[in-house]
């Protein structure tokens, strides 16, 4: 039985905000994928369908301890660079739905 956890973040990003948003996501993901416990990384852009979320990120983690350690490292990166995600979202009109997920027993 695995304890792997997936962090799935969904975003509604206005067209005018996409470049700045993607630059921030890429910088954060560069850090995350280098950390112990990171097992998977995806950055997805919606190309069709009726959904309003046009970007989805997925990070696979070995366990909750890996996620907790990664959160601390991301906070350090943001403090070092003076980045405040909530300010960016507010300024650019980005909406986010963030959460951790696990696989369902018997699926996959």
């Amino acid at each position: 039985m695995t304890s792997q956890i997936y962090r799935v973040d969904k975003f509604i990003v206005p067209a005018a905000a996409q470049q700045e948003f993607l630059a921030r996501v890429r910088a954060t993901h560069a850090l995350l994928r280098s950390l112990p416990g990171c097992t998977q990384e995806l950055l997805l852009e919606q190309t069709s369908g009726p959904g309003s979320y046009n970007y989805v990120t997925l990070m696979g983690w070995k366990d909750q301890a890996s996620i907790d350690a990664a959160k601390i490292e991301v906070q350090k990166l943001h403090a070092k660079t003076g980045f405040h995600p909530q300010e960016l979202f507010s300024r650019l009109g980005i909406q986010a739905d963030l959460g951790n997920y696990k696989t369902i027993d018997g699926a996959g």
Side-chain angles (χ1 to χ4, degrees):
M1 185 169 180
T2 181
S3 60
Q4 181 149 325
I5 300 171
Y6 297 91
R7 173 66 182 214
V8 180
D9 296 344
K10 300 171 283 210
F11 302 93
I12 300 171
V13 182
Q18 289 177 0
Q19 186 174 3
E20 186 173 352
F21 168 78
L22 289 172
R24 288 295 183 177
V25 168
R26 287 182 176 122
T28 301
H29 277 222
L31 168 67
L32 291 173
R33 71 176 160 262
S34 74
L35 297 176
C38 179
T39 63
Q40 185 176 12
E41 172 202 16
L42 290 173
L43 172 56
L44 305 170
E45 180 179 18
Q46 184 181 21
T47 59
S48 67
S52 56
Y53 292 99
N54 52 343
Y55 288 96
V56 175
T57 64
L58 181 140
M59 299 295 298
W61 294 97
K62 178 181 166 188
D63 52 28
Q64 186 61 47
S66 298
I67 291 174
D68 295 342
K71 183 177 180 180
I72 292 168
E73 293 303 316
V74 168
Q75 289 171 342
K76 288 179 187 177
L77 173 67
H78 290 174
K80 181 179 177 181
T81 60
F83 176 54
H84 303 282
Q86 292 308 317
E87 181 278 327
L88 176 83
F89 291 0
S90 178
R91 178 171 53 84
L92 297 178
I94 296 171
Q95 296 176 44
D97 179 13
L98 317 173
N100 293 342
Y101 293 77
K102 66 178 184 169
T103 57
I104 298 172
D105 291 340

Short mmCIF file of all heavy atoms in Angstrom, two decimals, residues 21-79:
data_model
loop_
_atom_site.label_atom_id
_atom_site.label_comp_id
_atom_site.label_asym_id
_atom_site.label_seq_id
_atom_site.Cartn_x
_atom_site.Cartn_y
_atom_site.Cartn_z
N PHE A 21 2.11 34.45 -14.69
CA PHE A 21 1.71 33.27 -13.94
C PHE A 21 2.62 32.08 -14.24
O PHE A 21 3.15 31.43 -13.34
CB PHE A 21 0.25 32.92 -14.26
CG PHE A 21 -0.19 31.57 -13.76
CD1 PHE A 21 -0.51 31.39 -12.43
CD2 PHE A 21 -0.27 30.49 -14.63
CE1 PHE A 21 -0.90 30.14 -11.96
CE2 PHE A 21 -0.66 29.25 -14.17
CZ PHE A 21 -0.98 29.07 -12.83
N LEU A 22 2.83 31.80 -15.52
CA LEU A 22 3.65 30.65 -15.91
C LEU A 22 5.10 30.81 -15.47
O LEU A 22 5.74 29.84 -15.08
CB LEU A 22 3.56 30.41 -17.41
CG LEU A 22 2.21 29.86 -17.89
CD1 LEU A 22 2.15 29.84 -19.41
CD2 LEU A 22 1.94 28.48 -17.31
N ALA A 23 5.62 32.02 -15.50
CA ALA A 23 6.99 32.25 -15.02
C ALA A 23 7.11 31.88 -13.55
O ALA A 23 8.08 31.24 -13.12
CB ALA A 23 7.40 33.70 -15.26
N ARG A 24 6.13 32.27 -12.76
CA ARG A 24 6.14 31.95 -11.32
C ARG A 24 5.97 30.45 -11.08
O ARG A 24 6.64 29.87 -10.23
CB ARG A 24 5.05 32.72 -10.59
CG ARG A 24 5.34 34.18 -10.45
CD ARG A 24 6.56 34.40 -9.59
NE ARG A 24 6.82 35.81 -9.40
CZ ARG A 24 7.78 36.28 -8.65
NH1 ARG A 24 8.59 35.46 -8.00
NH2 ARG A 24 7.96 37.58 -8.53
N VAL A 25 5.07 29.82 -11.81
CA VAL A 25 4.86 28.39 -11.65
C VAL A 25 6.14 27.63 -12.02
O VAL A 25 6.57 26.73 -11.30
CB VAL A 25 3.67 27.89 -12.51
CG1 VAL A 25 3.63 26.37 -12.57
CG2 VAL A 25 2.36 28.43 -11.96
N ARG A 26 6.76 28.01 -13.12
CA ARG A 26 7.99 27.32 -13.55
C ARG A 26 9.11 27.48 -12.52
O ARG A 26 9.84 26.53 -12.26
CB ARG A 26 8.42 27.82 -14.92
CG ARG A 26 7.51 27.31 -16.02
CD ARG A 26 7.97 27.77 -17.40
NE ARG A 26 7.13 27.19 -18.42
CZ ARG A 26 6.42 27.89 -19.31
NH1 ARG A 26 6.47 29.21 -19.30
NH2 ARG A 26 5.69 27.27 -20.20
N ALA A 27 9.25 28.66 -11.94
CA ALA A 27 10.27 28.87 -10.92
C ALA A 27 10.01 28.01 -9.69
O ALA A 27 10.93 27.39 -9.13
CB ALA A 27 10.34 30.36 -10.53
N THR A 28 8.76 27.95 -9.28
CA THR A 28 8.41 27.14 -8.12
C THR A 28 8.61 25.66 -8.41
O THR A 28 9.17 24.92 -7.60
CB THR A 28 6.96 27.41 -7.68
OG1 THR A 28 6.83 28.80 -7.36
CG2 THR A 28 6.57 26.58 -6.47
N HIS A 29 8.21 25.22 -9.60
CA HIS A 29 8.36 23.81 -9.95
C HIS A 29 9.82 23.40 -10.08
O HIS A 29 10.17 22.25 -9.78
CB HIS A 29 7.58 23.50 -11.22
CG HIS A 29 6.14 23.23 -10.97
ND1 HIS A 29 5.44 22.22 -11.59
CD2 HIS A 29 5.25 23.83 -10.13
CE1 HIS A 29 4.19 22.22 -11.16
NE2 HIS A 29 4.06 23.20 -10.29
N ALA A 30 10.67 24.31 -10.51
CA ALA A 30 12.11 24.00 -10.59
C ALA A 30 12.63 23.62 -9.21
O ALA A 30 13.42 22.68 -9.06
CB ALA A 30 12.88 25.18 -11.16
N LEU A 31 12.19 24.35 -8.20
CA LEU A 31 12.56 24.02 -6.82
C LEU A 31 11.93 22.70 -6.40
O LEU A 31 12.60 21.79 -5.90
CB LEU A 31 12.14 25.13 -5.87
CG LEU A 31 12.22 24.79 -4.38
CD1 LEU A 31 13.68 24.60 -3.95
CD2 LEU A 31 11.54 25.84 -3.53
N LEU A 32 10.63 22.56 -6.59
CA LEU A 32 9.91 21.39 -6.10
C LEU A 32 10.45 20.09 -6.66
O LEU A 32 10.63 19.11 -5.93
CB LEU A 32 8.41 21.51 -6.42
CG LEU A 32 7.65 22.59 -5.66
CD1 LEU A 32 6.24 22.72 -6.21
CD2 LEU A 32 7.64 22.31 -4.17
N ARG A 33 10.72 20.05 -7.96
CA ARG A 33 11.16 18.79 -8.56
C ARG A 33 12.56 18.39 -8.10
O ARG A 33 12.97 17.25 -8.25
CB ARG A 33 11.04 18.81 -10.07
CG ARG A 33 11.98 19.68 -10.80
CD ARG A 33 11.80 19.52 -12.33
NE ARG A 33 12.37 20.65 -13.01
CZ ARG A 33 11.70 21.70 -13.46
NH1 ARG A 33 10.38 21.74 -13.32
NH2 ARG A 33 12.31 22.69 -14.05
N SER A 34 13.31 19.33 -7.49
CA SER A 34 14.64 19.02 -6.98
C SER A 34 14.61 18.50 -5.54
O SER A 34 15.64 18.05 -5.03
CB SER A 34 15.53 20.27 -7.04
OG SER A 34 15.17 21.20 -6.02
N LEU A 35 13.45 18.52 -4.91
CA LEU A 35 13.36 18.16 -3.50
C LEU A 35 13.16 16.66 -3.30
O LEU A 35 12.51 15.99 -4.12
CB LEU A 35 12.20 18.92 -2.84
CG LEU A 35 12.35 20.43 -2.81
CD1 LEU A 35 11.09 21.07 -2.24
CD2 LEU A 35 13.59 20.85 -2.04
N PRO A 36 13.69 16.14 -2.19
CA PRO A 36 13.46 14.73 -1.87
C PRO A 36 11.96 14.45 -1.73
O PRO A 36 11.22 15.27 -1.20
CB PRO A 36 14.16 14.54 -0.52
CG PRO A 36 15.08 15.70 -0.38
CD PRO A 36 14.49 16.82 -1.18
N GLY A 37 11.54 13.31 -2.24
CA GLY A 37 10.14 12.92 -2.12
C GLY A 37 9.27 13.29 -3.30
O GLY A 37 8.15 12.80 -3.41
N CYS A 38 9.77 14.14 -4.19
CA CYS A 38 9.00 14.51 -5.39
C CYS A 38 9.07 13.34 -6.37
O CYS A 38 10.15 12.91 -6.75
CB CYS A 38 9.54 15.78 -6.02
SG CYS A 38 8.64 16.27 -7.51
N THR A 39 7.92 12.82 -6.78
CA THR A 39 7.87 11.67 -7.66
C THR A 39 7.33 11.97 -9.05
O THR A 39 7.51 11.19 -9.97
CB THR A 39 7.01 10.55 -7.05
OG1 THR A 39 5.67 11.02 -6.91
CG2 THR A 39 7.56 10.10 -5.70
N GLN A 40 6.65 13.11 -9.18
CA GLN A 40 6.01 13.42 -10.46
C GLN A 40 5.71 14.90 -10.53
O GLN A 40 5.42 15.54 -9.52
CB GLN A 40 4.71 12.63 -10.60
CG GLN A 40 4.03 12.77 -11.93
CD GLN A 40 2.79 11.88 -12.02
OE1 GLN A 40 2.32 11.32 -11.04
NE2 GLN A 40 2.26 11.75 -13.22
N GLU A 41 5.77 15.44 -11.75
CA GLU A 41 5.43 16.85 -11.96
C GLU A 41 4.73 16.98 -13.31
O GLU A 41 5.20 16.45 -14.32
CB GLU A 41 6.70 17.70 -11.98
CG GLU A 41 6.43 19.12 -12.39
CD GLU A 41 7.66 19.84 -12.93
OE1 GLU A 41 8.65 19.19 -13.28
OE2 GLU A 41 7.59 21.07 -13.02
N LEU A 42 3.61 17.68 -13.31
CA LEU A 42 2.91 18.01 -14.55
C LEU A 42 2.43 19.45 -14.48
O LEU A 42 1.95 19.90 -13.44
CB LEU A 42 1.69 17.11 -14.76
CG LEU A 42 1.93 15.64 -15.07
CD1 LEU A 42 0.60 14.89 -15.06
CD2 LEU A 42 2.61 15.48 -16.42
N LEU A 43 2.55 20.14 -15.59
CA LEU A 43 1.96 21.47 -15.77
C LEU A 43 1.11 21.36 -17.02
O LEU A 43 1.63 21.14 -18.11
CB LEU A 43 3.04 22.54 -15.92
CG LEU A 43 2.58 23.94 -16.32
CD1 LEU A 43 1.54 24.49 -15.34
CD2 LEU A 43 3.77 24.88 -16.40
N LEU A 44 -0.20 21.47 -16.85
CA LEU A 44 -1.14 21.24 -17.94
C LEU A 44 -1.91 22.50 -18.30
O LEU A 44 -2.31 23.26 -17.41
CB LEU A 44 -2.14 20.15 -17.54
CG LEU A 44 -1.54 18.82 -17.08
CD1 LEU A 44 -2.61 17.94 -16.48
CD2 LEU A 44 -0.84 18.12 -18.23
N GLU A 45 -2.13 22.68 -19.60
CA GLU A 45 -2.96 23.78 -20.09
C GLU A 45 -4.15 23.17 -20.82
O GLU A 45 -3.99 22.29 -21.67
CB GLU A 45 -2.17 24.67 -21.05
CG GLU A 45 -2.97 25.82 -21.60
CD GLU A 45 -2.17 26.72 -22.53
OE1 GLU A 45 -1.11 26.28 -23.02
OE2 GLU A 45 -2.61 27.85 -22.77
N GLN A 46 -5.34 23.63 -20.48
CA GLN A 46 -6.55 23.11 -21.12
C GLN A 46 -6.57 23.54 -22.59
O GLN A 46 -6.33 24.70 -22.91
CB GLN A 46 -7.79 23.65 -20.42
CG GLN A 46 -9.07 23.09 -20.98
CD GLN A 46 -10.30 23.64 -20.28
OE1 GLN A 46 -10.26 24.69 -19.66
NE2 GLN A 46 -11.40 22.92 -20.38
N THR A 47 -6.88 22.57 -23.46
CA THR A 47 -6.95 22.86 -24.89
C THR A 47 -8.35 22.70 -25.46
O THR A 47 -8.61 23.13 -26.58
CB THR A 47 -5.98 21.96 -25.69
OG1 THR A 47 -6.34 20.59 -25.45
CG2 THR A 47 -4.54 22.20 -25.26
N SER A 48 -9.24 22.06 -24.70
CA SER A 48 -10.63 21.93 -25.14
C SER A 48 -11.48 21.57 -23.94
O SER A 48 -10.97 21.23 -22.88
CB SER A 48 -10.77 20.86 -26.23
OG SER A 48 -10.50 19.59 -25.71
N GLY A 49 -12.78 21.65 -24.13
CA GLY A 49 -13.71 21.28 -23.07
C GLY A 49 -14.36 22.50 -22.43
O GLY A 49 -13.89 23.62 -22.59
N PRO A 50 -15.42 22.26 -21.67
CA PRO A 50 -16.21 23.36 -21.12
C PRO A 50 -15.68 23.93 -19.80
O PRO A 50 -16.18 24.92 -19.32
CB PRO A 50 -17.58 22.72 -20.90
CG PRO A 50 -17.25 21.30 -20.58
CD PRO A 50 -16.05 20.97 -21.45
N GLY A 51 -14.69 23.30 -19.19
CA GLY A 51 -14.23 23.74 -17.87
C GLY A 51 -13.64 25.13 -17.88
O GLY A 51 -13.12 25.60 -18.89
N SER A 52 -13.70 25.80 -16.75
CA SER A 52 -13.17 27.17 -16.67
C SER A 52 -11.73 27.22 -16.19
O SER A 52 -11.07 28.23 -16.36
CB SER A 52 -14.06 28.01 -15.75
OG SER A 52 -14.16 27.41 -14.48
N TYR A 53 -11.23 26.13 -15.60
CA TYR A 53 -9.83 26.12 -15.16
C TYR A 53 -8.95 25.86 -16.37
O TYR A 53 -9.06 24.82 -17.01
CB TYR A 53 -9.60 25.04 -14.09
CG TYR A 53 -10.30 25.36 -12.80
CD1 TYR A 53 -11.52 24.78 -12.48
CD2 TYR A 53 -9.75 26.27 -11.91
CE1 TYR A 53 -12.16 25.09 -11.29
CE2 TYR A 53 -10.40 26.59 -10.72
CZ TYR A 53 -11.60 25.99 -10.42
OH TYR A 53 -12.23 26.30 -9.26
N ASN A 54 -8.09 26.82 -16.70
CA ASN A 54 -7.28 26.66 -17.90
C ASN A 54 -5.87 26.17 -17.63
O ASN A 54 -5.14 25.84 -18.56
CB ASN A 54 -7.28 27.93 -18.75
CG ASN A 54 -6.89 29.18 -17.98
OD1 ASN A 54 -6.91 29.22 -16.76
ND2 ASN A 54 -6.55 30.24 -18.70
N TYR A 55 -5.45 26.10 -16.36
CA TYR A 55 -4.15 25.53 -16.01
C TYR A 55 -4.33 24.61 -14.81
O TYR A 55 -5.08 24.92 -13.87
CB TYR A 55 -3.12 26.61 -15.66
CG TYR A 55 -2.67 27.36 -16.88
CD1 TYR A 55 -3.26 28.57 -17.21
CD2 TYR A 55 -1.69 26.85 -17.72
CE1 TYR A 55 -2.87 29.26 -18.35
CE2 TYR A 55 -1.30 27.53 -18.86
CZ TYR A 55 -1.89 28.74 -19.17
OH TYR A 55 -1.51 29.41 -20.29
N VAL A 56 -3.63 23.48 -14.85
CA VAL A 56 -3.62 22.53 -13.75
C VAL A 56 -2.18 22.11 -13.51
O VAL A 56 -1.45 21.82 -14.47
CB VAL A 56 -4.48 21.28 -14.05
CG1 VAL A 56 -4.37 20.25 -12.94
CG2 VAL A 56 -5.94 21.67 -14.28
N THR A 57 -1.77 22.11 -12.25
CA THR A 57 -0.47 21.58 -11.91
C THR A 57 -0.67 20.35 -11.04
O THR A 57 -1.60 20.29 -10.24
CB THR A 57 0.42 22.60 -11.16
OG1 THR A 57 -0.17 22.93 -9.91
CG2 THR A 57 0.60 23.86 -11.99
N LEU A 58 0.20 19.37 -11.22
CA LEU A 58 0.14 18.16 -10.41
C LEU A 58 1.56 17.83 -9.98
O LEU A 58 2.47 17.78 -10.81
CB LEU A 58 -0.43 16.99 -11.20
CG LEU A 58 -0.54 15.68 -10.43
CD1 LEU A 58 -1.82 14.97 -10.77
CD2 LEU A 58 0.66 14.79 -10.62
N MET A 59 1.72 17.65 -8.68
CA MET A 59 3.00 17.21 -8.12
C MET A 59 2.73 15.95 -7.33
O MET A 59 1.84 15.93 -6.47
CB MET A 59 3.59 18.28 -7.19
CG MET A 59 3.90 19.61 -7.83
SD MET A 59 5.19 19.60 -9.09
CE MET A 59 6.62 19.08 -8.18
N GLY A 60 3.46 14.89 -7.63
CA GLY A 60 3.36 13.66 -6.85
C GLY A 60 4.41 13.67 -5.75
O GLY A 60 5.55 14.07 -5.99
N TRP A 61 4.00 13.25 -4.56
CA TRP A 61 4.90 13.24 -3.40
C TRP A 61 4.88 11.88 -2.73
O TRP A 61 3.82 11.24 -2.64
CB TRP A 61 4.50 14.32 -2.40
CG TRP A 61 4.70 15.68 -2.99
CD1 TRP A 61 3.75 16.46 -3.59
CD2 TRP A 61 5.93 16.40 -3.08
NE1 TRP A 61 4.33 17.63 -4.04
CE2 TRP A 61 5.66 17.62 -3.74
CE3 TRP A 61 7.23 16.13 -2.67
CZ2 TRP A 61 6.65 18.56 -4.00
CZ3 TRP A 61 8.21 17.08 -2.92
CH2 TRP A 61 7.91 18.29 -3.58
N LYS A 62 6.02 11.46 -2.24
CA LYS A 62 6.18 10.17 -1.58
C LYS A 62 5.24 10.03 -0.39
O LYS A 62 4.64 8.98 -0.18
CB LYS A 62 7.63 10.02 -1.12
CG LYS A 62 7.94 8.77 -0.38
CD LYS A 62 9.40 8.77 0.04
CE LYS A 62 9.64 7.70 1.07
NZ LYS A 62 10.98 7.79 1.63
N ASP A 63 5.08 11.11 0.39
CA ASP A 63 4.26 11.05 1.59
C ASP A 63 3.99 12.47 2.10
O ASP A 63 4.50 13.45 1.53
CB ASP A 63 4.92 10.21 2.68
CG ASP A 63 6.35 10.63 2.96
OD1 ASP A 63 6.70 11.82 2.76
OD2 ASP A 63 7.15 9.76 3.38
N GLN A 64 3.20 12.58 3.15
CA GLN A 64 2.85 13.88 3.71
C GLN A 64 4.08 14.62 4.23
O GLN A 64 4.17 15.84 4.13
CB GLN A 64 1.81 13.74 4.82
CG GLN A 64 1.29 15.08 5.34
CD GLN A 64 0.60 15.91 4.29
OE1 GLN A 64 -0.25 15.40 3.56
NE2 GLN A 64 0.93 17.19 4.18
N ALA A 65 5.03 13.89 4.79
CA ALA A 65 6.25 14.53 5.29
C ALA A 65 7.00 15.24 4.16
O ALA A 65 7.56 16.34 4.37
CB ALA A 65 7.15 13.50 5.97
N SER A 66 7.01 14.66 2.97
CA SER A 66 7.66 15.29 1.82
C SER A 66 6.94 16.59 1.44
O SER A 66 7.59 17.59 1.11
CB SER A 66 7.68 14.34 0.62
OG SER A 66 8.41 13.18 0.91
N ILE A 67 5.62 16.57 1.48
CA ILE A 67 4.84 17.78 1.17
C ILE A 67 5.12 18.86 2.21
O ILE A 67 5.32 20.03 1.87
CB ILE A 67 3.34 17.46 1.11
CG1 ILE A 67 3.03 16.61 -0.11
CG2 ILE A 67 2.51 18.75 1.08
CD1 ILE A 67 1.59 16.14 -0.19
N ASP A 68 5.14 18.48 3.47
CA ASP A 68 5.39 19.44 4.55
C ASP A 68 6.77 20.09 4.39
O ASP A 68 6.91 21.31 4.55
CB ASP A 68 5.28 18.77 5.91
CG ASP A 68 3.87 18.29 6.22
OD1 ASP A 68 2.90 18.74 5.55
OD2 ASP A 68 3.73 17.43 7.12
N ALA A 69 7.78 19.30 4.06
CA ALA A 69 9.13 19.83 3.85
C ALA A 69 9.17 20.74 2.63
O ALA A 69 9.82 21.79 2.65
CB ALA A 69 10.13 18.69 3.71
N ALA A 70 8.47 20.35 1.57
CA ALA A 70 8.43 21.16 0.35
C ALA A 70 7.77 22.51 0.61
O ALA A 70 8.22 23.54 0.10
CB ALA A 70 7.69 20.42 -0.76
N LYS A 71 6.72 22.52 1.41
CA LYS A 71 6.03 23.77 1.74
C LYS A 71 6.99 24.76 2.40
O LYS A 71 7.00 25.96 2.07
CB LYS A 71 4.83 23.49 2.64
CG LYS A 71 4.02 24.72 2.96
CD LYS A 71 2.80 24.37 3.79
CE LYS A 71 1.99 25.61 4.09
NZ LYS A 71 0.80 25.31 4.89
N ILE A 72 7.82 24.27 3.30
CA ILE A 72 8.80 25.13 3.96
C ILE A 72 9.79 25.70 2.96
O ILE A 72 10.11 26.89 2.99
CB ILE A 72 9.51 24.35 5.09
CG1 ILE A 72 8.52 24.04 6.22
CG2 ILE A 72 10.73 25.11 5.61
CD1 ILE A 72 9.03 23.03 7.23
N GLU A 73 10.25 24.86 2.04
CA GLU A 73 11.22 25.31 1.04
C GLU A 73 10.61 26.35 0.09
O GLU A 73 11.26 27.32 -0.29
CB GLU A 73 11.79 24.13 0.26
CG GLU A 73 12.64 23.21 1.11
CD GLU A 73 13.80 23.92 1.78
OE1 GLU A 73 14.49 24.73 1.14
OE2 GLU A 73 14.02 23.68 2.99
N VAL A 74 9.35 26.16 -0.27
CA VAL A 74 8.67 27.13 -1.13
C VAL A 74 8.50 28.46 -0.39
O VAL A 74 8.71 29.54 -0.97
CB VAL A 74 7.31 26.58 -1.62
CG1 VAL A 74 6.47 27.69 -2.27
CG2 VAL A 74 7.54 25.44 -2.60
N GLN A 75 8.15 28.40 0.88
CA GLN A 75 8.03 29.63 1.67
C GLN A 75 9.37 30.37 1.73
O GLN A 75 9.41 31.60 1.64
CB GLN A 75 7.52 29.32 3.08
CG GLN A 75 6.07 28.91 3.10
CD GLN A 75 5.61 28.38 4.45
OE1 GLN A 75 6.40 27.99 5.31
NE2 GLN A 75 4.29 28.34 4.63
N LYS A 76 10.46 29.64 1.87
CA LYS A 76 11.79 30.25 1.87
C LYS A 76 12.08 30.92 0.53
O LYS A 76 12.60 32.04 0.48
CB LYS A 76 12.88 29.21 2.16
CG LYS A 76 12.92 28.72 3.57
CD LYS A 76 14.03 27.68 3.71
CE LYS A 76 14.04 27.00 5.04
NZ LYS A 76 15.08 25.94 5.11
N LEU A 77 11.76 30.23 -0.56
CA LEU A 77 11.96 30.80 -1.90
C LEU A 77 11.15 32.08 -2.07
O LEU A 77 11.67 33.09 -2.54
CB LEU A 77 11.57 29.78 -2.98
CG LEU A 77 11.58 30.30 -4.42
CD1 LEU A 77 13.00 30.64 -4.87
CD2 LEU A 77 10.93 29.29 -5.36
N HIS A 78 9.89 32.06 -1.67
CA HIS A 78 9.03 33.23 -1.81
C HIS A 78 9.55 34.39 -0.96
O HIS A 78 9.56 35.54 -1.42
CB HIS A 78 7.59 32.90 -1.44
CG HIS A 78 6.92 32.00 -2.43
ND1 HIS A 78 5.67 31.48 -2.21
CD2 HIS A 78 7.31 31.53 -3.63
CE1 HIS A 78 5.32 30.72 -3.25
NE2 HIS A 78 6.31 30.74 -4.11
N ALA A 79 10.01 34.10 0.25
CA ALA A 79 10.55 35.16 1.11
C ALA A 79 11.82 35.75 0.49
O ALA A 79 12.00 36.98 0.49
CB ALA A 79 10.85 34.60 2.50
#
